[in-house]
Amino acid sequence: MDQRNENRGRDQNIINQPGTVVINPSHQPERSRTEQQLLQFVKQEVESRLRQSLHNAVLINLGKAAQPEQVKRPWDAEVKIGARPAEPIPETTSILDVFDRSDLGGKLLILGNPGAGKTTTLLDLAKALIGRAEADVDFPIPVLFNLSAWKEDKQHIRDWLIVELKQKYGVRAELGEQWLKERRLLPLLDGLDEVKPERQEPCVQAINAFLTGEDAPLYAVVCSRREEYNTYETRLQLNGAICLQALTLPQIQQYLADVNRPELWDLLNQDAALLELVQAPLFLSVIILAYPQDSLDDWQQLNSREERLQDLWDRYICRMFEREIRNNPYSRKTPSQKQARHWLVWLAKQMQRESQTEFLIERMQPSWLVGRDHGLYQLIGGLIGGLIFGLIFGLTSVGLNVGLFGGLFGGLIYVLSIGLIFVMDNIFPVEAIHLSFTHKLFREILLSLRERLIFGLIFFGLIAGLIFGLIYGVFYGLISGLVYGAIVYGVIYGLLGGLSVGLIYGLSVGLVSALKADIEIRLQPNQGIKNSIKNTVIISGLGLLSAAILYVLLSSTLNPILDAQDVSSIIVTSVSLLIWMSFFTGGGLACIQHFSLRWVLFRSGVAPWNYARFLDYASERLLIQRVGGRYRFIHKLLQDHFAAMPLD
């Protein structure tokens, strides 16, 4: 504790005693609002995942939830430091006690076999560290990351953490970089073995570079399967490892007695292979939930461990679909077991292909589509985009009669021609903007507008405008025979048009960039798209206001230079583009893409239309965990099992 505060340089108000932190109440510093938001959400995440764990599900289903202290997690552990022999950990020693050991210094590796309880142990540690961070503002905020999302061998872990903070918690990149530089975060890295096999060794090297680099964290914890870790040539530069042990037979017998299932011990004790299987705490919980009050004769006919595992998961899935649930999100027609299984298999396959362990509805991408479905998605997105542009262009031109229908048709042809390419891009929801109009926000808006306006005016106004003007002038001159005059006219027209487009780009993109919030916690399913709809209305309103200003500006500037028809053409086009770009950059494009994607997936039968309701239903069935607006399978091994099943 003393060393930590010395490193942080903020020990004036903290008095440290062994195992305690006492804060001087007269000088209590506070965390920033964004740090408090992050800490609270990580706390909710950890508590929610522990509450939805299979161990807790056993207690709930067997009426033990009210007295969980009577049914402790049964596995043992030992600590390995350097070349010293492994040291057993007493039953009364918590994972936080191990973390605080002076010879470990808060840099710990958690090892174990599949289903041994590594992630649960990490969550227990996270819960304790969150309590410490709440009491001590100088203590870094523990944050959970899954290494399966690390996909680029040469990507620095620090840069990857910044991206993950943005993806998972909506933290702006600048803020995430600042927190890492100031060592305000405590990374808890789970799933080293879930990185693709060919990338695991480079991942270990990247973690070591982060742990020994300039912005190395004060503390760090990594989780990995023991078998995979022992194959690496490189060892993590952590101070020690805690190794989770397989359950002993007396522990299994005592645990089954504690949860009132002694008859299950009598059956398991007849089969040495099954006893070996349930020495992993995960499978012991699964077998308690999956096994009804009948015989194990069918299981005993299976020969290999792999067959027994597959059969165990199949039984678990069937059992979960058959069990009674209290809160069914479906008030009328519930999906059949076959339909629900089909949707979960498809989802697991997509998550496995993308190396994901967490799923957000708003983060679904067009890359999940194949074949004709992808073409249909492009067609629908381009069609909707064309109709919207045509509507805007028609309303800003000659009115609601000929101009509206002409604008609809012209805009449809124009945007549809590029929409098929444009909507292929990834979907980026505009999830949060803030309109507090503080001095800081006003300054950020001015800086963002300045940067975007400079880029827009140089690229669109000078480069693109000059090129377009020259091409237009030469082409028009060859037709009219007045080459020189046409080129001069084309250059002037192109530069003016380009400058107006550059101004439009700077206003719309700059405004959206400046108004994005520092952090956006996802508390509801599909929150990103819902926020995008709301923000589209706000940004489009600001775009209309900017369009009125642009109309006055262009009218006063262009009237002395060009004739009335050209001025009218430039003004109508510029105002239409400004409103259209405000709509699209403010979240409209993401909404169009997401709607098109969801419709195609629903039409093809691989996903439900109301995805959140189905995933909540799967959560009630103990197949999925929900944390805020994010979903994950109850265990990575269950996700792998679904992914290996055929997609009927």
Side-chain angles (χ1 to χ4, degrees), residues 231-281:
T231 64
Y232 305 151
E233 295 181 3
T234 308
R235 287 288 177 262
L236 286 169
Q237 295 188 19
L238 297 167
N239 296 332
I242 177 173
C243 306
L244 305 182
Q245 304 299 304
L247 299 176
T248 64
L249 299 188
Q251 285 175 330
I252 296 173
Q253 184 178 13
Q254 182 60 47
Y255 183 79
L256 292 174
D258 289 342
V259 298
N260 298 327
R261 295 300 300 273
E263 83 288 349
L264 187 55
W265 166 254
D266 296 334
L267 293 173
L268 289 174
N269 200 29
Q270 301 173 15
D271 192 317
L274 278 175
L275 270 178
E276 181 183 359
L277 180 66
V278 299
Q279 284 185 286

Side-chain angles (χ1 to χ4, degrees), residues 336-519:
S336 66
Q337 183 177 155
K338 180 180 180 181
Q339 181 69 80
R341 187 189 297 256
H342 178 76
W343 289 337
L344 290 172
V345 168
W346 183 84
L347 177 61
K349 288 181 180 294
Q350 304 309 310
M351 293 176 65
Q352 184 183 63
R353 184 169 61 88
E354 299 291 335
S355 299
Q356 296 177 357
T357 56
E358 290 188 333
F359 172 66
L360 289 95
I361 298 174
E362 60 265 46
R363 290 297 179 185
M364 299 169 68
Q365 297 296 337
S367 60
W368 288 26
L369 299 172
V370 294
R372 290 182 297 178
D373 284 344
H374 203 285
L376 181 60
Y377 159 78
Q378 293 173 270
L379 179 64
I380 295 172
L383 190 65
I384 296 174
L387 288 172
I388 292 175
F389 178 79
L391 179 63
I392 294 172
F393 186 80
L395 290 173
T396 55
S397 57
V398 293
L400 291 174
N401 42 34
V402 179
L404 175 57
F405 292 102
L408 281 171
F409 179 76
L412 177 61
I413 298 299
Y414 172 72
V415 179
L416 187 56
S417 63
I418 64 172
L420 298 181
I421 300 174
F422 194 46
V423 297
M424 286 178 62
D425 296 336
N426 287 339
I427 303 173
F428 297 106
V430 180
E431 300 191 34
I433 60 174
H434 54 108
L435 296 170
S436 59
F437 294 108
T438 60
H439 177 72
K440 177 183 177 183
L441 176 61
F442 183 70
R443 184 178 59 191
E444 290 179 355
I445 291 176
L446 292 179
L447 290 174
S448 180
L449 288 176
R450 184 183 67 180
E451 294 175 1
R452 303 294 180 174
L453 281 172
I454 291 174
F455 173 81
L457 292 175
I458 292 176
F459 180 79
F460 293 104
L462 298 180
I463 300 176
L466 182 60
I467 293 174
F468 173 79
L470 284 172
I471 295 174
Y472 175 79
V474 170
F475 180 75
Y476 182 73
L478 292 175
I479 295 176
S480 63
L482 302 173
V483 178
Y484 177 75
I487 291 177
V488 173
Y489 177 83
V491 168
I492 294 175
Y493 188 90
L495 287 175
L496 290 174
L499 287 171
S500 65
V501 173
L503 183 63
I504 292 165
Y505 172 85
L507 287 173
S508 58
V509 178
L511 189 62
V512 172
S513 299
L515 291 176
K516 286 186 176 180
D518 288 334
I519 183 170

Side-chain angles (χ1 to χ4, degrees), residues 29 47 99 102 117 129 291 297-299 330 357 362 367 375 408 419 425 516 532 535 573:
E47 291 178 348
F99 178 87
S102 59
L129 294 175
Y291 166 66
D297 292 342
D298 293 339
W299 289 6
Y330 289 93
T357 56
E362 60 265 46
S367 60
L408 281 171
D425 296 336
K516 286 186 176 180
S532 292
N535 296 334
T573 303

Side-chain angles (χ1 to χ4, degrees), residues 114 179 223 350 368 592:
W179 283 346
C223 274
Q350 304 309 310
W368 288 26
I592 292 172

Side-chain angles (χ1 to χ4, degrees), residues 156-307:
H156 196 285
I157 291 294
R158 176 179 170 276
D159 298 333
W160 173 77
L161 290 174
I162 294 173
V163 173
E164 286 299 296
L165 283 169
K166 172 63 178 174
Q167 294 286 340
K168 188 173 183 180
Y169 301 107
V171 178
R172 295 186 73 166
E174 299 84 356
L175 183 59
E177 183 177 8
Q178 176 186 339
W179 283 346
L180 288 170
K181 186 176 182 179
E182 296 177 357
R183 301 180 179 182
R184 301 295 292 162
L185 302 180
L186 194 166
L188 305 174
L189 307 178
D190 196 9
L192 176 59
D193 53 277
E194 295 172 13
V195 179
K196 290 189 175 181
E198 64 273 15
R199 293 198 182 106
Q200 291 179 10
E201 190 79 31
C203 187
V204 173
Q205 296 170 359
I207 294 173
N208 283 340
F210 173 61
L211 293 175
T212 58
E214 182 179 352
D215 298 333
L218 296 176
Y219 316 104
V221 182
V222 181
C223 274
S224 176
R225 290 182 185 174
R226 181 184 301 183
E227 182 179 359
E228 282 83 347
Y229 184 77
N230 288 336
T231 64
Y232 305 151
E233 295 181 3
T234 308
R235 287 288 177 262
L236 286 169
Q237 295 188 19
L238 297 167
N239 296 332
I242 177 173
C243 306
L244 305 182
Q245 304 299 304
L247 299 176
T248 64
L249 299 188
Q251 285 175 330
I252 296 173
Q253 184 178 13
Q254 182 60 47
Y255 183 79
L256 292 174
D258 289 342
V259 298
N260 298 327
R261 295 300 300 273
E263 83 288 349
L264 187 55
W265 166 254
D266 296 334
L267 293 173
L268 289 174
N269 200 29
Q270 301 173 15
D271 192 317
L274 278 175
L275 270 178
E276 181 183 359
L277 180 66
V278 299
Q279 284 185 286
L282 168 69
F283 300 126
L284 180 58
S285 296
V286 170
I287 204 171
I288 292 173
L289 293 171
Y291 166 66
Q293 306 292 334
D294 57 15
S295 172
L296 289 170
D297 292 342
D298 293 339
W299 289 6
Q300 293 170 347
Q301 304 303 317
L302 301 174
N303 298 320
S304 66
R305 186 175 188 273
E306 289 71 21
E307 289 178 338

Side-chain angles (χ1 to χ4, degrees), residues 1-12 14-16 21 136 138-139 219:
M1 295 290 291
D2 290 331
Q3 182 180 3
R4 183 186 74 242
N5 291 318
E6 181 179 350
N7 290 337
R8 297 294 305 157
R10 300 177 180 178
D11 56 347
Q12 294 87 349
I14 299 178
I15 306 170
N16 291 291
V21 177
D136 180 1
D138 287 334
F139 194 79
Y219 316 104

